[in-house]
Structure formats: C-alpha cells, structure tokens
Amino acid sequence: MKSYQKLTTTQPATCQVEEEGAAPLPTGCGKLAPWWVGSGLLVAAVLLSTITVWVLRQVSGGWLGPTPPPKCLLVPESHRFDCYPERRMVVTQELCESRGCCFIQSPLLAEGKGGVPWCFYPPDFPSYTLESLNQTTLGMVGLLVRREKAYYPRDIEMLRLDVEFETDTRLHIKITDATNPRYEVPLDVPRVMKRAENPIYSLNFSRDPFGVLLRRKATGTVLLNTTVAPLIFADQFLQISTSLPSKFLYGLGEHRGSLLHSLDWNTLTLWARDVSPTESFNLYGAHPFYLLMEEGGDAHGVFLLNSNAMEVALQPSPGLTWRTIGGVLDFYIFLGPDPNMVIQQYQQVIGFPAMPPLWALGFHLCRWGYGSSNETWQTVRAMRNYQIPQDAQWNDIDYMDGYRDFTFDSQKFASLPSLVEDLHKHGQRYVMILDPGISSTSPHGSYWPFDEGLRRGLFLNTTQGQPLIGQVWPGFTAFADFSNPDTHQWWLENLQHFYAHVPFDGLWIDMNEPSNFMDGSEDGCPPGELDSPPYTPAVLGDSLSAKTVCASAKQKASVHYNLHNLYGLMEAKATASALIQIRGKRPFIISRSTFPSQGRYSGHWLGDNQSQWKDMYYSIPGLLSFSLFGIPLVGADICGFSGSTSEELCTRWMQLGAFYPFARNHNTQNEKAQDPTAFSPAARTAMKDVLLTRYSLLPFLYTLFHHAHLQGDTVARPLFFEFPCDVATWGLDRQFLWGRSLLVTPVLEPGVDSVTGYVPQGMWYDFYTGSSVNSAGEVLKMSAPLEHLNLHVREGSILPTQKPGTTSEVTRGNPLHLIVALSSRATAWGDLFWDDGESLDTFEQGNYSYLVFNVTQNVFTSTVLHASTEATKVTVGTLSIFGVQKLPSKVLLNGQEKPFSYLDNQVLTVSDIGISLSQGFSLQWL
C-alpha cells in the first residue's frame, strides 16, 4: 500500500498561542515565509516546474509571453491557489495582473478552470495582519487589519477573530466584520461555559500574513495551515485556503460521485438545486462539512457554518479553498481522533437525529402515476396476497386536485380515505407528498391555503413587497416563507384540515430547494448585487436564480440570498412540529433539500435517480455521505425513478435497497410497474426473501437508530470507520456496514453470479449459515446467484433479530432470535433498545427497555439494564452461536439442561427458550 508523505512546514517567526495559557502577541513576531519552501521534494518540484516553463517558452517561439517573475516560478503547480476563479471567461495576463497575481499559461491545458490555474497568488500577495490578540474566558479575541484592498468590492478592512477552546476535541474559530453586524446562520449551537482543560490540539498563529496553524498534539500533524493563500473578506466574497494533511477527504455535499473525493483540481458547489443527480452538479442540499483521514488512521472534521452560495475548491497539493458570497467564516474543527468520534462531535454541534418510529424502518412503496386511489389500493392488496412485507404506501402528486397542496382529486382518488382506513386496519401507514409552492390562480375564496397565506403575509416577497410568483406543478405559485414563525401555524392549520379527511401518518416534502420551473419569477429578477453578485460560485445554470426564486426575494428572517440553502430545513422543522401536534407521535418526514441539523427533523432520499446500474452504485456513497452529515434515515429510490428498470436490475437493487436505512421503491409515471408483484415468480421471491431478512433485522436496526439519536453514531457506516488503520478501506464505497457488525456486499453489475468484496482482517460469519471466513484483510470472490445477497457478521458481535412478519407491527410481537458471532477469543457483545416504537421521547422519559448481551468463557448472559412493560410482550425464542469450536456435551439455561443442535460448521443453536425479554438469563455450554 502506498504511503503518503506527511505535510512539512517551515517554522518561521509565528505567534505560538498554546491553548493552556495563551499570551498576547510577542514583539518582533515576523512575517511568515512561503510555506512551501523547506521540503526537498517541493524544491525539486519547483525546479522541474521552472524548467518546464522555460522549455515550453523555447518551443513555443515566445507566444507564452514574457517570463514570469521569479517569485511566481517558485510556486509549484500543485500549490497554485486560484486568483481568478470566475467561470465562463478566458483569463488573460492583463486581467490576472490587474489583481496583482501571477500568470503562467500552459499550452498543455485548455483555459485553466479544469486544472492548474493560470492565474494564482504570489507568495507576497497582501493579506490581513494580526494586530492584537487578547485572552478571553473561553479562548482569545483578535483584530485583523488589511492595509491594501483586495480586488472585490466593499473589502472589509478590519475583522474580528474569536477563538474558543470549546472542548478537548472541538475548536471554534470565527472571523467576522469588526465594526458592522453581518448575517449569521440562525442555527442553535451549543454554548460552552468554560475553556477546554486538556485539548488534544495546539494552535499557532502567523501574524503577517495572518494565518492559523492547527496541529494534533499526539502526532504533530498539521491539520490546518491557512497561510497558503491570502484571506479575502469582502462583503460578497469571502475566501480562505488551507493545506491538508492527506488526500483522503469525504463529505461536502450534496453531490453525486464516489465517497472519497478527488483532489485533482475538483470544485464542489453548495447551492440547493432541483436537478436529477448528475456528476459535478450542485444537487438538492448543502453540507459544508468535511471529514479527512490522516496518515496513521486519525481523523478530523471541519464544518463551516455558513448558508450562502459556496464552492469548495480541492487541489492536489493537497489543499482546499472555501469561497462563499455572504455571511461570516464560522468554523468548527473536530479532532476525533477516530472517524466515528468526529461525526459524533459534529452532531454535538448541529444536533443529534430524531428517533424514527419503528414503521419508518419497514418497506415503503410508491410511484408517480398510480392514477387513482383504487389502483394504489390494488398494489397494496397484491403485496398482501403474496405476503411481501410492506409498512407504508405512498402517493405522489397525482393524488392532488390540480396538483394543489392540501387537496385530493375527488374523482380519481375518491376512495383515498377508505384506503387509508384499510391500511391502518392492517397495521400499515400512509404517506403523501407536499410541495412548498402554493397555487396562486384559484378564484378568490376557493382555495384557503393561498387566500389565508396572502392575508397573513406568509409568502416570499419581491423587492417591491408583493408575493413572488413562480411556476411549479399547479401552475403559478407563491412560496411559503418558513423563516416566519407565523407560517408554521398556517402550515399546521392546513395539515389539520387535510388530516380530518385523510389521516396520513407521515409526509414527503419535495421541491423544497425551492424548485421553480422559471428562473427567478414570472417577472424575472431585478437588477442588483443580490441577484447578480460580484462573484457567482460555479452553480448549475450560472445564476443564483436558475430554476429557483430570486436571491433578492424577501423573507422574514433575511433575504433569500442568505436563506436559500436553509429552505428545506426550515420547512422540515415546521412539518415536524405540525405532525407532533396533529398525531402526538414521532413524526416521519422525508425531505429532498437538506442542511446541517436536518436529521433532527427529517430523513432524506437521494432524489430523482434513473433505472441504471451506475445509479445503483452511486446510491452507496450517497447514503454513506449522509451518514457523515448526521442524517441517518436515508435511501435512494429502489429500482430507479426515471426510465424503465429490468428484472435483473430491480432484483439486485431490491437486495441493496433492503439495506438502505430508509427503504422505498419509487417509480415515475408512464413506465412499467416495478413493485415486487410486477415481476416473475423467481424475482418476486428473491425480493420477498430479502425484505424478510430486513424485517428480521429490525430490532438490530432500531437499536442502531437509538444510538444515532442518543450520541450520533452512524447507522449505514463506511468500512474505514471501523478499520481506520487499514488504508485499503479508505476508498471503499461498493460495500458498507450496518453499525459495526454487519457487512453488506451487493452485486452492482449485470450478468454475474459472483461478487468480489473486501473483507477486513478478522473472522466473519455468513449471516444465513454461520459458516466462518477468516480474512487477513483481502478481496474475496463470493458466490452471488440472483436470489442471494452476501451478508457477513463480524466476530465479537451479537445481533438481536426477530421472526419476520409482513409489517413491523406483526414482526415486533414475534419471538427474538439472538445471533452470536464469537471472536477468536470466544467473546461477543451486543445490545437491544426496545420501546413501543412510536411514542415521543421514550428514552428521555424512561419508557423503554435496554438490554446488554455478553459472552465470555462459554456463557451467554442477557442483562436488563432498564425495563418497561413493552418488554414483557415479547420473548426470546432462539439463540444461535457461530464459531463454537467443538460439540458441547450439554447446554444449561439458567442452570437447567436444555436440548440443542450443533452443526459441522460450528453453529450451536438452542430453540424454545421462551423467556420474556424483560427477564435476564444465562446460557452455558460445556
């Protein structure tokens, strides 16, 4: 395995401010030398770069222009930070040098947007100076001054630096205007009361140019070094760059691509946009957070709390540049040191995800184009007829009257109330779609949602103070302003009116980027620097208003320019509150647009994918990225939304989708049906079997969600989270884990009956048979006929499973089957969280049971740490122990001899245990 060289920095005169007792700036603190001078490797790169430029100039006959100044030739190509990131224009030497930057044109590349920038910062480009630094109770406060203006309008000359040592593993650095207030994201973040006592990081500052140097104490690894390029802080252009200690970077959503980002001159844009998932496009949500793996297996994360249009430029030095066009630079850095802890620490800031109802973890079925409630009902009945598990039936926009929210078609969906009643009688749930665009064309007095919203002033307004009118499914629409608390009450009242007719169980909030079939509004957007800012990040459509509303639109909390990326979050917050008030139970919401802290209110699906094999693959890095973002309830449209699926693709996708935390098969209109009943008996059986496997694992999955809710653990988990010292796992995104224990290796290609997958070092057991695989950490070929999904249980784990039923409600009453996977030392551990599956705050109010399972010295023990009456309603039926080395002579249950079976593959099974879950017990084999 290739080793990666650690970042080396020179040690110029800097203000070292260690967190244990930071002192004011020492006198004589000098300028920081160019950070790249000091490594022999980099000097060689500089020489090579210089020679290359000289040779190119000779062979080109001088068309590359005059030789650049020596200070420019000193900068290696990979370390060139872009001084002219504007798109859709050719950067000339004149334009570049007007900004005071270096210009080196390469004939080997097209104009340098897709690679090495032609226009880049020289080492001596003016930046801010750290003029003063003083102690505070929680850290430090400093003053930054820029004496030479940069090249964007309304440069801010004096900045305030706030540093808070919040915890031993969390550092908070904020840079904002020293004299004038600026927009900041209205997100509730924790306020610490005292300074961290033993931080695992050390913090240095460079005075001139100003820069932050953050190190991990244990290894000395430089995590941040912002002296690599100048800090720019203008009213509508904020930019800060840093070196990175490795090239293993994840996060920065929402995008389609591999889990591990390429640092080969890759720019990721964050601006919520309605577009079918496509590589390189900015998609539905914005998540300015990255996780980075360091050499040696440590990890850290960085969160920029900023909701404005943004891009993050990655380059192979390795380095990263944040560019945003508003707000402030408000950074949280999480020191881990392992990736699981980084994500937990991130969620300590943004909030832990909500505990979903148990039925949310069942199988969901939907399509656009059922056409009627009776056709929807027929699908439900067909699923029941074949006894295929299903917990929820959904409807897309075709249930509405004229695509208007809070209505249903009185002709085609006349039986909808009866359908919902029937679902409830069978222990199933109903979910329907809602959009934030409210039809504005109905005659006055005929459509209460618009009339009342207009009367109360609850819509986004133009700069002239009139409702901004765009176009979505019902035609011309106004857009609800969820930043206004009064809108939440109006939203609740609308949902109450609809619930009185159709008692839905959950809501699917779509089109909430917000999406607009027009650019801006029916009147376009007004001139000005909100809709046409001095710099526009690399957004799809090259305009902030492309297929959304005008950035200048007025909202209660601020202008849409600042709030756009928050729209889906604010709608989810209003919807969750309404559902709690209407149903009095845990809300279930799936949202398309998302922002940090979204997991507190909703889950997410990955949008309008296509019925293609590559889309199935891309769903895995998609769901793993959202695990990093604190939104564990995530999945993709199983079998694909657009286009026509095949039986083979849909079978393989149902197998993978059965292990999405949120599992929904969804299809577009005018395509053939793709629910399990639509296929041949063989395919239908394969789909049914894998859903039954999912339902058998619901106790395990539900417990994983409890840990996510309680402390920010991930549910669907990248392999490198559990094996951070195994570099072979760092780029894996065709497999994933549930928790720490269950390895999922799906087939992602057509026409095959086997699959290759990486099996980390240790003992793994086939989930279905208990047969063992002892891996040295290697790629293995596994049999995978069309009816089979490879699942492996990690040694040392205990999985609580249950006899599956056709709904989660039926399943939860069945006996438990505990699966023990012994480690090489014959030990194992597992746990189970159990409650009524739907009541609010059961853990917080103590209305739950929590059990710990343990094996040591051939004794299995079930210990009840907390009990509730719900646990008395279910029994432990079977115990299977994988990896028992020899045939036992006898088995004792609570000291009494018990019949058992033992197979040649070393699986010991004890059936008919019949002990209530509320009672602890022990089982010994001799």
Side-chain angles (χ1 to χ4, degrees):
M1 188 57 60
K2 182 178 176 183
S3 62
Y4 287 80
Q5 186 179 9
K6 221 161 154 183
L7 176 71
T8 305
T9 60
T10 57
Q11 295 300 314
T14 59
C15 322
Q16 177 158 349
V17 188
E18 295 280 354
E19 59 296 317
E20 284 86 7
L25 278 169
T27 56
C29 192
K31 291 199 173 188
L32 190 73
W35 72 282
W36 48 80
V37 181
S39 162
L41 247 158
L42 288 172
V43 169
V46 171
L47 289 172
L48 184 61
S49 175
T50 305
I51 292 167
T52 301
V53 170
W54 181 84
V55 170
L56 287 171
R57 287 179 186 285
Q58 303 311 305
V59 300
S60 67
W63 70 269
L64 289 177
T67 302
K71 67 179 182 181
C72 298
L73 293 173
L74 278 172
V75 185
E77 284 189 350
S78 65
H79 294 70
R80 293 176 184 172
F81 286 82
D82 201 343
C83 178
Y84 220 110
E86 280 79 356
R87 304 267 160 161
R88 310 297 180 196
M89 64 185 305
V90 176
V91 179
T92 64
Q93 183 166 354
E94 182 180 10
L95 285 172
C96 178
E97 292 178 350
S98 70
R99 293 186 169 182
C101 290
C102 296
F103 185 81
I104 297 181
Q105 186 176 352
S106 170
L108 305 178
L109 296 168
E111 200 282 314
K113 295 305 168 204
V116 181
W118 293 358
C119 183
F120 57 94
Y121 296 106
D124 59 353
F125 191 93
S127 186
Y128 286 87
T129 302
L130 181 56
E131 288 292 320
S132 65
L133 192 65
N134 295 297
Q135 291 292 312
T136 65
T137 305
L138 300 176
M140 289 164 278
V141 62
L143 180 66
L144 310 180
V145 176
R146 174 180 277 282
R147 291 189 166 78
E148 293 186 46
K149 282 192 170 293
Y151 43 83
Y152 284 106
R154 297 183 300 284
D155 223 8
I156 296 172
E157 296 179 15
M158 289 195 299
L159 301 176
R160 176 186 169 108
L161 168 70
D162 285 287
V163 178
E164 293 185 353
F165 304 105
E166 294 196 339
T167 73
D168 290 345
T169 55
R170 185 173 84 227
L171 176 66
H172 187 189
I173 299 176
K174 184 174 175 181
I175 302 172
T176 188
D177 190 331
T179 55
N180 298 301
R182 292 179 60 80
Y183 164 77
E184 297 186 26
V185 182
L187 189 69
D188 292 330
V189 292
R191 299 296 178 194
V192 298
M193 304 307 293
K194 67 173 187 174
R195 180 181 180 133
E197 294 179 357
N198 297 295
I200 65 172
Y201 49 85
S202 64
L203 183 64
N204 302 353
F205 290 106
S206 163
R207 179 181 173 228
D208 188 7
F210 165 72
V212 174
L213 288 94
L214 179 68
R215 288 181 175 85
R216 183 181 298 280
K217 279 185 180 178
T219 61
T221 303
V222 177
L223 308 183
L224 297 177
N225 177 356
T226 68
T227 66
V228 295
L231 167 65
I232 296 178
F233 201 122
D235 183 37
Q236 290 181 273
F237 186 89
L238 292 71
Q239 177 175 280
I240 190 168
S241 303
T242 182
S243 63
L244 299 172
S246 87
K247 295 186 177 182
F248 293 94
L249 183 141
Y250 315 82
L252 299 174
E254 181 176 4
H255 298 92
R256 164 178 280 205
S258 57
L259 179 64
L260 178 64
H261 286 302
S262 167
L263 270 60
D264 189 17
W265 306 105
N266 182 20
T267 297
L268 302 169
T269 307
L270 281 65
W271 182 247
R273 168 67 193 250
D274 172 7
V275 62
S276 295
T278 307
E279 298 87 322
S280 80
F281 288 179
N282 50 294
L283 301 182
Y284 310 106
H287 293 272
F289 166 81
Y290 70 78
L291 171 76
L292 188 138
M293 291 298 294
E294 306 158 28
E295 182 183 351
D298 287 335
H300 70 274
V302 177
F303 171 42
L304 173 55
L305 180 51
N306 181 292
S307 61
N308 289 89
M310 182 190 305
E311 62 190 18
V312 185
L314 308 174
Q315 62 191 75
S317 42
L320 176 150
T321 298
W322 300 93
R323 292 188 199 104
T324 181
I325 59 172
V328 301
L329 297 177
D330 192 0
F331 289 102
Y332 289 86
I333 302 98
F334 311 100
L335 275 289
D338 75 51
N340 289 291
M341 296 171 72
V342 171
I343 301 306
Q344 290 175 349
Q345 291 156 14
Y346 175 43
Q347 291 174 90
Q348 286 167 7
V349 170
I350 62 170
F352 296 126
M355 184 68 187
L358 177 63
W359 65 266
L361 307 184
F363 179 61
H364 301 249
L365 191 55
C366 184
R367 79 164 299 169
W368 179 21
Y370 282 122
S372 70
S373 49
N374 285 341
E375 188 178 334
T376 308
W377 208 338
Q378 286 172 11
T379 302
V380 173
R381 287 174 177 142
M383 292 285 286
R384 290 178 192 156
N385 182 52
Y386 289 114
Q387 296 185 302
I388 300 172
Q390 182 189 2
D391 258 80
Q393 180 61 51
W394 296 39
N395 277 126
D396 207 318
I397 56 175
D398 43 341
Y399 80 89
M400 298 179 183
D401 180 9
Y403 298 137
R404 296 180 303 166
D405 277 356
F406 313 112
T407 68
F408 68 93
D409 188 319
S410 60
Q411 301 298 316
K412 296 177 180 176
F413 281 80
S415 62
L416 183 57
S418 299
L419 165 61
V420 174
E421 182 182 4
D422 177 68
L423 288 167
H424 291 164
K425 283 181 179 177
H426 286 83
Q428 294 172 302
R429 307 304 200 278
Y430 180 70
V431 180
M432 84 279 185
I433 196 169
L434 273 183
D435 294 339
I438 304 298
S439 174
S440 61
T441 56
S442 300
H444 181 72
S446 66
Y447 185 49
W448 191 87
F450 178 75
D451 292 341
E452 190 63 15
L454 186 65
R455 186 184 72 80
R456 300 187 198 179
L458 304 180
F459 298 121
L460 271 65
N461 284 334
T462 66
T463 55
Q464 303 303 309
Q466 298 300 313
L468 183 147
I469 302 299
Q471 186 174 10
V472 201
W473 295 114
F476 290 113
T477 56
F479 297 87
D481 177 10
F482 292 103
S483 78
N484 185 342
D486 295 340
T487 304
H488 293 214
Q489 178 62 29
W490 164 85
W491 193 244
L492 167 65
E493 291 169 23
N494 279 295
L495 287 169
Q496 286 173 328
H497 296 158
F498 190 78
Y499 187 85
H501 301 284
V502 181
F504 54 86
D505 299 284
L507 289 170
W508 170 21
I509 51 177
D510 190 16
M511 306 290 285
N512 54 354
E513 293 73 31
S515 177
N516 185 359
F517 297 164
M518 299 174 160
D519 290 348
S521 77
E522 61 177 344
D523 300 315
C525 296
E529 290 193 326
L530 292 178
D531 293 299
S532 302
Y535 180 80
T536 300
V539 297
L540 178 63
D542 300 317
S543 165
L544 297 183
S545 63
K547 295 299 178 277
T548 188
V549 300
C550 299
S552 59
K554 293 181 177 180
Q555 297 188 233
K556 178 76 171 180
S558 186
V559 289
H560 193 72
Y561 182 91
N562 294 326
L563 300 178
H564 173 83
N565 282 340
L566 299 172
Y567 194 91
L569 170 63
M570 290 178 167
E571 184 191 15
K573 192 173 182 178
T575 306
S577 173
L579 275 175
I580 289 170
Q581 292 180 72
I582 291 169
R583 299 182 69 248
K585 298 175 182 177
R586 285 177 225 162
F588 171 76
I589 300 159
I590 295 294
S591 175
R592 191 167 72 180
S593 189
T594 59
F595 190 80
S597 80
Q598 188 93 21
R600 295 171 60 186
Y601 311 105
S602 84
H604 172 65
W605 98 103
L606 296 173
D608 295 340
N609 59 4
Q610 297 184 44
S611 297
Q612 297 182 5
W613 290 91
K614 72 168 187 175
D615 287 65
M616 179 166 61
Y617 153 66
Y618 277 128
S619 71
I620 300 177
L623 72 93
L624 294 178
S625 291
F626 274 87
S627 289
L628 270 58
F629 300 148
I631 307 175
L633 189 63
V634 60
D637 284 346
I638 297 171
C639 301
F641 174 71
S642 303
S644 194
T645 193
S646 69
E647 181 162 292
E648 182 189 12
L649 172 60
C650 199
T651 302
R652 293 302 195 188
W653 209 328
M654 282 290 293
Q655 290 168 346
L656 168 60
F659 286 84
Y660 293 156
F662 164 59
R664 181 186 70 163
N665 179 317
H666 180 43
N667 190 10
T668 190
Q669 61 180 352
N670 303 322
E671 296 287 354
K672 62 184 181 183
Q674 62 185 38
D675 63 86
T677 70
F679 295 99
S680 72
R684 186 174 65 238
T685 300
M687 295 178 186
K688 174 181 175 179
D689 287 348
V690 77
L691 288 176
L692 288 170
T693 299
R694 177 190 179 89
Y695 273 65
S696 75
L697 283 159
L698 284 179
F700 175 56
L701 181 60
Y702 193 65
T703 301
L704 292 178
F705 269 94
H706 166 68
H707 290 301
H709 170 64
L710 192 63
Q711 61 193 31
D713 285 356
T714 52
V715 176
R717 189 171 300 176
L719 271 72
F720 75 85
F721 271 49
E722 289 299 315
F723 303 93
C725 294
D726 182 354
V727 183
T729 66
W730 291 10
L732 296 181
D733 59 7
R734 299 174 72 87
Q735 301 165 269
F736 58 96
L737 294 159
W738 265 13
R740 62 177 301 276
S741 306
L742 189 65
L743 176 62
V744 183
T745 306
V747 172
L748 302 173
E749 296 171 345
V752 299
D753 59 6
S754 65
V755 62
T756 56
Y758 185 77
V759 180
Q761 184 175 7
M763 188 75 75
W764 296 82
Y765 298 90
D766 184 292
F767 171 78
Y768 309 99
T769 67
S771 297
S772 62
V773 177
N774 194 0
S775 174
E778 54 199 308
V779 175
L780 299 178
K781 185 176 181 180
M782 310 171 198
S783 176
L786 188 59
E787 70 276 5
H788 184 69
L789 171 70
N790 278 278
L791 298 173
H792 289 88
V793 185
R794 185 179 178 183
E795 64 170 309
S797 305
I798 300 176
L799 304 187
T801 73
Q802 209 160 16
K803 180 184 177 182
T806 53
T807 66
S808 62
E809 189 173 292
V810 170
T811 300
R812 64 176 276 109
N814 289 339
L816 286 164
H817 176 194
L818 304 178
I819 297 176
V820 177
L822 293 178
S823 71
S824 56
R825 297 190 301 275
T827 61
W829 186 94
D831 64 344
L832 173 65
F833 177 82
W834 192 269
D835 63 9
D836 69 5
E838 62 179 5
S839 293
L840 293 163
D841 303 325
T842 55
F843 177 79
E844 291 77 4
Q845 296 176 8
N847 299 323
Y848 68 95
S849 295
Y850 181 69
L851 292 83
V852 168
F853 310 119
N854 192 59
V855 172
T856 184
Q857 297 180 334
N858 292 1
V859 177
F860 170 94
T861 307
S862 173
T863 306
V864 181
L865 296 184
H866 193 278
S868 71
T869 55
E870 289 295 326
T872 64
K873 302 174 184 177
V874 66
T875 60
V876 177
T878 306
L879 187 64
S880 294
I881 305 169
F882 299 167
V884 176
Q885 296 293 315
K886 62 180 182 179
L887 173 68
S889 59
K890 59 182 174 179
V891 170
L892 303 177
L893 174 64
N894 289 336
Q896 301 296 311
E897 197 161 338
K898 188 77 178 168
F900 64 92
S901 68
Y902 182 80
L903 302 178
D904 290 343
N905 64 348
Q906 301 184 337
V907 175
L908 169 66
T909 301
V910 182
S911 302
D912 301 321
I913 292 175
I915 293 177
S916 168
L917 189 62
S918 62
Q919 297 176 336
F921 70 93
S922 66
L923 184 139
Q924 183 179 16
W925 58 99
L926 303 170

